[in-house]
Amino acid sequence: MRSPLPRSMQRFLPNLAKHLPRAGKLSKRMSAGAVVFFAVIICWAFLTSGCAHKRAMPGFNSSQLPPLSESGTDFTPQRWWITFNDAGLDQQINMALGENFDLAAALYRLRAAQAVTRREASDLFPDLNGLLRDQNTFGPGPDQTRLTWGLDAAYQVDLWGQIRARVDAERFRAGATRADYHTVALALSAEIARTWYALIEGYAQLDLLEQQFATNSDGLKLVEARYGNNLGGEGGGPNVLRQRQLIESTREQQVVVAASIEVLEHQLAVLTGQPPQSAKYQPGNMLPALPPLPYTGLPSELINRRPDVRSAFLELVAADRDAAVAVASQYPRLDLTGSLVNSADRPSDFFQDWFVSIGGQLLGPILDGGQRRAEVARTNAVVCQRFAEYRQTVLIALQEVEDGLALERRQLERIEKLEIQAKWARSAADQLLQYFVNAETDYLDVLSANQSEQRVQRSLISARLDLILIRIGLYLALAGDFDTRPIPAGEEILPLPIEPIAP
């Protein structure tokens, strides 16, 4: 014959039998009614538990991902920017790690999340409060004053692991916040590197424009020597005007570049926590050579290394723990209370009459309008949302690496073509200038050749900056956590171990 008791109760009965001797010892100190009361409480809890179970979280096997399309052989250090061997860049990032306010705000967000975890973990322990009550009675008879003092304790029994699940959820969120902090640190280092090398490119463009201005000024002298200063002369006047317009165009480009340099200096100052009013830097005008292509590793290594992926995963696990909390909130809650108090009418009666109170309360939901079921449905939906966000974050991480590899490969090809263009443009400009001196060609051909050469020269500098920026993006796509403490002069910080992504 099938037992009418639910399976949870059938599993509970043998365990209850094991604890009966202990309950017998307890009964010597407590009344029989109290023992029966607690037994009924526990049995009711199991009878109303139904088919409680933790919902399964969907899986995602990163080892099945195909390998990355390309990889170098050089392992990138955790402080990836030192691969450029640029002391000025190292100094700016080191300053930003100690002075940037966005990074400081991220650190305080982490501390707040850790405090929330400690706050939730406090529910695992009993609450003990001091009690002091002064009661005065006034009436027809003599006035009475009664002083009551003692200790009051309360404890919620974690029957279904609800408190533990809530603590775990906050602990995982704190871990996600820690990963977000490292994401901010990485983004800050990359932004400083981009700004630093854009500043160098700006000074390189300014030097190039100075050279082009001198070249165009020499060309004006040559045109005026050929046609004279008579702007109304036949043929010569327009050519002189065109050359003067080219000089003014070069000056206009100098103004644009100088403005961009000032803006970049302000941006770099703010990134390093300094006021922008007096920002002035001398980074030079030479972009660094491109370091060797870094080792990209396996996709699973990338997923474990990147803090944004780890943050998305920990948010997923925290949401799963929230779902467990919502499920457990449908079941009865057991609260235990106790107090030890002393009450006296006169100071002489203090410490004479002590009262001990022990009680328990079981609260079980009966009607709530479907609120708890709706919360379970909501948390389950959030779990699915976090899982989709986690998978999307993984795919974006892989995309960023693939994009960086493809862009760098194509940018190297582009720079090679620009260098060839610059070579032929230089030869064409020199030959046409010689033809013009010998009166074998029109001035317009010389002007067009000069403009083309100068445009290619400026494009080549910009393309080399783009190559550096692409490599910075690749380093950022491959980077993991690093020690964010500023490095004092002469001190070397050891690399951080790579933490596994699993909780």
Side-chain angles (χ1 to χ4, degrees):
M1 180 178 180
R2 185 177 178 181
S3 173
L5 294 176
R7 293 182 179 178
S8 58
M9 189 62 186
Q10 295 175 28
R11 291 193 299 266
F12 170 69
L13 288 177
N15 294 329
L16 181 61
K18 296 178 181 178
H19 296 282
L20 286 178
R22 191 176 304 173
K25 296 179 181 179
L26 183 64
S27 64
K28 296 179 181 179
R29 302 180 182 177
M30 301 175 58
S31 65
V35 176
V36 173
F37 173 75
F38 281 107
V40 170
I41 285 177
I42 298 175
C43 291
W44 180 28
F46 274 92
L47 285 171
T48 56
S49 66
C51 54
H53 63 87
K54 176 181 175 295
R55 65 174 300 280
M57 190 174 63
F60 179 48
N61 190 358
S62 61
S63 62
Q64 297 177 354
L65 294 172
L68 297 170
S69 62
E70 193 174 354
S71 178
T73 57
D74 284 26
F75 286 88
T76 306
Q78 290 178 333
R79 292 179 172 246
W80 56 268
W81 56 89
I82 66 175
T83 57
F84 290 106
N85 196 23
D86 189 333
L89 175 62
D90 296 345
Q91 179 183 3
Q92 298 304 317
I93 295 181
N94 193 58
M95 181 185 302
L97 292 177
E99 302 293 338
N100 182 265
F101 293 104
D102 287 335
L103 187 61
L107 178 60
Y108 286 114
R109 284 195 297 270
L110 172 59
R111 292 179 179 176
Q114 293 170 339
V116 171
T117 303
R118 294 193 300 270
R119 182 191 67 191
E120 294 297 329
S122 66
D123 290 339
L124 293 170
F125 304 94
D127 289 338
L128 182 63
N129 300 303
L131 173 65
L132 179 62
R133 182 170 62 247
D134 184 14
Q135 184 177 4
N136 298 307
T137 304
F138 305 97
D143 297 342
Q144 294 182 354
T145 301
R146 190 169 189 83
L147 183 65
T148 303
W149 66 284
L151 300 175
D152 183 76
Y155 178 63
Q156 178 183 346
V157 181
D158 194 15
L159 286 176
W160 321 112
Q162 181 183 24
I163 299 176
R164 175 60 63 184
R166 194 166 63 241
V167 173
D168 288 343
E170 296 303 332
R171 180 166 58 87
F172 290 131
R173 285 196 184 90
T177 306
R178 177 182 293 276
D180 292 339
Y181 167 76
H182 284 284
T183 300
V184 172
L186 284 171
L188 174 64
S189 63
E191 188 63 24
I192 291 177
R194 294 189 185 103
T195 306
W196 180 256
Y197 289 121
L199 198 57
I200 293 177
E201 188 262 353
Y203 281 108
Q205 292 280 12
L206 206 58
D207 288 348
L208 177 62
L209 288 169
E210 289 286 349
Q211 299 173 13
Q212 292 178 352
F213 176 80
T215 300
N216 295 333
S217 298
D218 293 340
L220 177 61
K221 296 176 182 178
L222 183 61
V223 173
E224 290 177 343
R226 172 81 178 272
Y227 298 106
N229 291 324
N230 184 9
L231 300 182
E234 182 179 355
N239 292 331
V240 173
L241 293 175
R242 291 189 186 100
Q243 189 65 24
R244 289 181 178 178
Q245 185 271 335
L246 180 59
I247 292 175
E248 293 303 321
S249 175
T250 306
R251 286 176 173 172
E252 183 261 341
Q253 289 296 320
Q254 289 176 318
V255 172
V256 172
V257 173
S260 67
I261 288 176
E262 291 185 18
V263 171
L264 289 170
E265 288 178 338
H266 298 162
Q267 180 178 345
L268 186 58
V270 172
L271 288 172
T272 55
Q274 309 302 316
Q277 294 89 333
S278 59
K280 194 64 178 177
Y281 301 92
Q282 295 180 343
N285 57 2
M286 294 294 295
L287 290 170
L290 191 68
L293 187 67
Y295 172 71
T296 56
L298 299 174
S300 58
E301 296 174 340
L302 177 68
I303 292 173
N304 278 277
R305 186 167 58 243
R306 283 189 49 144
D308 57 338
V309 176
R310 186 165 60 254
S311 175
F313 179 81
L314 292 174
E315 289 286 357
L316 165 62
V317 182
D320 184 68
R321 295 286 79 209
D322 287 337
V325 172
V327 171
S329 66
Q330 301 177 104
Y331 307 142
R333 168 181 167 178
L334 177 60
D335 293 333
L336 303 179
T337 59
S339 61
L340 175 66
V341 297
N342 176 268
S343 182
D345 295 333
R346 300 182 301 273
S348 60
D349 295 336
F350 282 171
F351 306 103
Q352 290 185 3
D353 298 327
W354 291 94
F355 300 91
V356 178
S357 174
I358 299 177
Q361 176 180 254
L362 188 66
L363 298 176
I366 299 178
L367 294 176
D368 63 357
Q371 178 182 1
R372 289 176 175 81
R373 288 184 179 272
E375 180 63 14
V376 171
R378 185 194 70 83
T379 53
N380 287 339
V382 172
V383 171
C384 296
Q385 171 195 340
R386 297 300 185 194
F387 180 68
E389 291 172 350
Y390 165 63
R391 294 200 64 174
Q392 183 68 14
T393 304
V394 170
L395 295 179
I396 291 176
L398 297 173
Q399 177 192 354
E400 289 175 351
V401 175
E402 291 293 329
D403 289 350
L405 294 171
L407 289 173
E408 181 172 319
R409 183 173 63 253
R410 297 303 181 185
Q411 189 68 13
L412 287 171
E413 295 178 4
R414 182 192 174 206
I415 290 176
E416 181 182 357
K417 302 304 180 184
L418 284 173
E419 289 175 345
I420 295 175
Q421 290 183 52
K423 175 184 176 182
W424 297 132
R426 176 73 267 174
S427 299
D430 291 343
Q431 291 184 19
L432 287 171
L433 180 61
Q434 187 64 38
Y435 291 160
F436 176 73
V437 171
N438 297 330
E440 297 177 0
T441 188
D442 295 333
Y443 169 75
L444 285 177
D445 294 334
V446 178
L447 180 63
S448 177
N450 286 336
Q451 291 176 331
S452 178
E453 179 194 7
Q454 293 177 5
R455 183 171 57 252
V456 171
Q457 288 175 341
R458 293 194 292 267
S459 297
L460 185 56
I461 294 178
S462 298
R464 287 171 177 160
L465 171 63
D466 291 339
L467 180 62
I468 296 297
L469 298 182
I470 290 171
R471 173 55 66 86
I472 292 174
L474 181 58
Y475 282 141
L476 185 62
L478 295 171
D481 298 351
F482 66 91
D483 195 327
T484 57
R485 292 175 297 170
I487 302 179
E491 180 178 335
E492 181 179 359
I493 295 181
L494 298 177
L496 290 175
I498 298 178
E499 298 179 358
I501 194 173

